[in-house]
Amino acid sequence: MNKKWKKIDEYAQQWIKEAGRRIKDTFQQQLLIQTKSSRTDLVTNVDREIEQFFIQKIRSTFPQHRVLGEEGFGDSLAALEGIVWIIDPIDGTMNFIHQQRNFAISIGIYEDGIGMMGYIYDVVHDELYYAHKGAGAFLNGVPLSPLTETSVSESIVSINATWVTKNKRIDANVLAPLVKDARGTRSYGSAALEMAYVAAGRLDAYITMRLSPWDFAAGFVLVNEVGGIVTNLYGEPLNLLGENSVLVAKPRLHEEILNTYILK
């Protein structure tokens, strides 16, 4: 890692841990909770405060960098030119509100549209997943092993029940056979954590119909570094500036899910 990226990494990890402490300090406070697009799309004062915390740190330390953030305090971007931090201050806000667990800070750092660094911090369990392009992925400093191949029948697939019941985005009959054929299914309510779990081998695949860049930017870097594959549900590259369906899986499993269940 050259000096430029080493400096960015040092600051990123420092700020993420500080943000985590700030979030934990709010656990005994009353939250200001608001809805965005629907009753299930929630935001709190903490989401906004943490995003502003990161933006202030980035702009004062790296004024030439730009920021794309979920809560809208960053820059308005038409392209990922230069170095861009893609931030979700609390991924899994509903879990944060209801459970005070199963949420994460997610930060992807991109240069000219290429994922260079990814950080996913499980605040409650003090687990920091991070990856540097070409240098591997880590969990609290311990290298993550390259992903091994598996089949649907031996896999744990993370998928929300929404996508196998009547919904507006996909025919429920498309993925129901996958749920039946898999060894098991899970749903954690945080895209960042679910992608981190695939990278760490805790899950074999993750499928969802709608994610924004701040949901997957960090996980994209992590999964790539351990040999996993991240595409939309048509097997196409993700749009880093828009909403996407997302399929994350081990290599052979990714192909099997696409060809046997989705594109058949």
Side-chain angles (χ1 to χ4, degrees):
M1 188 190 311
N2 64 33
K3 291 175 67 174
K4 176 183 79 172
W5 290 107
K6 186 172 177 15
K7 179 180 179 182
I8 292 171
D9 173 62
E10 289 173 352
Y11 277 111
Q13 294 208 34
Q14 175 185 322
W15 296 338
I16 287 166
K17 288 299 185 78
E18 183 176 345
R21 290 192 292 271
R22 288 178 176 230
I23 291 171
K24 284 193 281 191
D25 287 344
T26 70
F27 280 178
Q28 303 306 316
Q29 300 174 14
Q30 184 172 354
L31 298 174
L32 173 61
I33 303 168
Q34 296 176 305
T35 59
K36 294 193 283 187
S37 63
S38 71
R39 66 182 178 85
T40 61
D41 186 10
L42 305 177
V43 64
T44 71
N45 55 305
V46 181
D47 295 75
R48 293 183 169 125
E49 289 164 9
I50 295 300
E51 182 167 306
Q52 290 173 312
F53 163 78
F54 280 116
I55 289 173
Q56 185 276 322
K57 293 289 189 182
I58 294 164
R59 287 180 172 162
S60 62
T61 309
F62 304 108
Q64 73 278 24
H65 294 187
R66 296 185 297 165
V67 181
L68 178 62
E70 178 176 15
E71 307 310 333
F73 296 106
D75 300 292
S76 178
L77 302 180
L80 292 179
E81 297 171 347
I83 295 179
V84 179
W85 297 56
I86 305 178
I87 296 175
D88 193 338
I90 299 179
D91 183 74
T93 298
M94 189 182 297
N95 292 344
F96 169 64
I97 293 168
H98 286 270
Q99 302 174 337
Q100 292 189 342
R101 66 196 68 241
N102 294 324
F103 67 88
I105 298 169
S106 178
I107 297 178
I109 306 177
Y110 284 63
E111 184 174 40
D112 296 328
I114 297 172
M116 301 300 294
M117 293 181 165
Y119 303 87
I120 295 173
Y121 183 43
D122 182 338
V123 173
V124 172
H125 295 104
D126 191 29
E127 291 186 333
L128 178 59
Y129 305 81
Y130 60 95
H132 308 152
K133 181 174 173 57
F138 304 82
L139 170 55
N140 288 346
V142 178
L144 295 177
S145 300
L147 296 179
T148 57
E149 293 186 349
T150 191
S151 63
V152 166
S153 63
E154 297 176 330
S155 67
I156 301 294
V157 177
S158 185
I159 184 170
N160 191 295
T162 300
W163 311 127
V164 289
T165 57
K166 187 176 180 180
N167 68 88
K168 297 178 180 179
R169 293 188 174 267
I170 189 171
D171 182 346
N173 295 317
V174 171
L175 294 173
L178 171 63
V179 169
K180 182 180 179 181
D181 293 345
R183 176 171 281 170
T185 60
R186 301 291 184 270
S187 180
Y188 294 93
S190 165
L193 282 180
E194 285 162 303
M195 292 182 77
Y197 290 171
V198 172
R202 296 177 178 179
L203 292 169
D204 299 298
Y206 169 55
I207 301 172
T208 189
M209 297 303 112
R210 184 182 61 187
L211 288 185
S212 295
W214 41 80
D215 298 311
F216 62 75
F220 183 85
V221 181
L222 274 168
V223 173
N224 278 342
E225 282 301 305
V226 291
I229 299 177
V230 183
T231 67
N232 67 17
L233 259 69
Y234 298 99
E236 302 164 340
L238 298 183
N239 175 5
L240 293 168
L241 288 173
E243 284 193 347
N244 299 258
S245 61
V246 175
L247 169 58
V248 183
K250 295 177 176 180
R252 177 184 163 195
L253 182 61
H254 186 279
E255 182 180 0
E256 183 180 359
I257 291 173
L258 269 182
N259 295 333
T260 305
Y261 300 92
I262 300 173
L263 301 180
K264 61 180 182 178

